Amino acid sequence: MNHKHLQLICTEMQLGSPIGVAARIYGSRGGSLMWQIKTTKGGYAIKQLAPVIDLKSDRIITKYELTETIAYRFTQHGVPAVSYP
């Protein structure tokens, strides 16, 4: 992951400042990548969407909206997560 891009994501999502470099981890499908990062506020996983994903597809949009809903529900139960409303 590009370090400047990582810093931008951390700033935008208020995750703290990155410590070290992002490590690629297993946990995604469809060509997307998952990254583990450590920051001054904790540890996070970030999904980098594959460039081939058709973001105009209603099926794909519904799938990603569901993942945001799941992340939001995790936060309601005390599990650290960041989601877009």
Side-chain angles (χ1 to χ4, degrees):
M1 174 179 279
N2 178 299
H3 192 70
K4 283 188 176 185
H5 190 206
L6 175 59
Q7 288 177 316
L8 178 65
I9 291 169
C10 288
T11 298
E12 181 70 26
M13 302 302 295
Q14 300 177 353
L15 302 178
S17 298
I19 299 171
V21 296
R24 187 170 172 191
I25 56 173
Y26 178 77
S28 190
R29 298 172 40 188
S32 295
L33 302 174
M34 291 293 293
W35 298 93
Q36 178 184 20
I37 64 163
K38 293 180 182 171
T39 75
T40 54
K41 290 187 176 182
Y44 300 91
I46 296 176
K47 180 180 249 182
Q48 179 181 351
L49 299 180
V52 297
I53 292 176
D54 179 9
L55 295 177
K56 295 180 182 174
S57 164
D58 288 337
R59 185 178 66 83
I60 297 295
I61 291 169
T62 299
K63 178 182 170 183
Y64 281 102
E65 286 175 345
L66 176 60
T67 65
E68 292 301 317
T69 300
I70 292 168
Y72 175 72
R73 289 185 179 169
F74 277 144
T75 65
Q76 291 179 316
H77 294 283
V79 177
V82 177
S83 65
Y84 284 110

